[in-house]
Amino acid sequence: MDAGTVARALEDARFDARQGSRHEHLADDTRGRVELAEWERIDRLRAAAAPGTVYDPDTDDVAQAEFAAEAAAAAAREAELREAARVTVRADELQALRELGTLEQTEPREGAKPLGTELTRRAGAYVQADVDTWLAHALAAHLGHYRDPAAREIAVGLLPPPLLAHAALLTELGRLVPAAGVVRLACAAGLATAVPEATADLAAFLTRATEPADTAGSPE
């Protein structure tokens, strides 16, 4: 843009700002003020340049930073939409399995927490015990996404304490009684929901109690 184009744009922005200040319903509209400030900045930038220099946004670091920020925000929104769509599709699959009573036959994928939230939202505001049991069993048995140790570590910061306590207790009970299945260990779910901290403590106690004794070193 040459000097004349910038000057006309600046004058238009000033006119819009004056009009906005005269109308109460436009008093909170910040867009006009932001636009005016930007044209004033561009005018100062052009005035400081050599005579005859035209304004080129490709050489304006401020404009380029704004373009980059807008592109990043658009990409983030697109990623959120894709993730929401993925969660919806997967939730449809799991909801069908729940209704068939075969939820435990599938393995969790990445993003189990938003899936659990979506399934709970569909059913109402209550916690779905079968979904929590499914996730706890998968975490304890290292199924699906939780085969990866890193994923299990991340789960500790994502999943709710009762579910984590349930998984920890299932891990220890499954180690003590390998033949016990999820149905036989249903009591663990109720205990974890009622007293998650005590359940976690019990799991830790079972771990310590069944660890091989350390016989290294000389007795005192």
Side-chain angles (χ1 to χ4, degrees), residues 2-42:
D2 58 20
T5 302
V6 172
R8 287 191 295 273
L10 176 57
E11 184 56 34
D12 288 343
R14 286 171 174 167
F15 175 79
D16 291 340
R18 288 194 298 271
Q19 290 295 104
S21 65
R22 296 169 183 170
H23 297 83
E24 184 177 351
H25 70 282
L26 297 176
D28 295 330
D29 183 12
T30 61
R31 184 181 63 83
R33 293 192 293 273
V34 170
E35 183 176 345
L36 174 58
E38 178 63 7
W39 280 116
E40 289 175 339
R41 185 189 69 81
I42 292 174

Side-chain angles (χ1 to χ4, degrees), residues 74-88:
R77 289 192 297 270
E78 181 64 25
E80 289 177 358
L81 291 174
R82 288 197 301 269
E83 174 63 10
R86 185 193 69 81
V87 168
T88 298

Side-chain angles (χ1 to χ4, degrees), residues 90 94 103-109 134 138 143-145 147:
R90 182 60 171 157
L94 296 181
L103 179 62
E104 70 280 358
Q105 296 177 16
T106 190
E107 295 184 351
R109 302 173 188 168
W134 167 62
L143 299 178
H145 177 57
R147 289 191 182 93

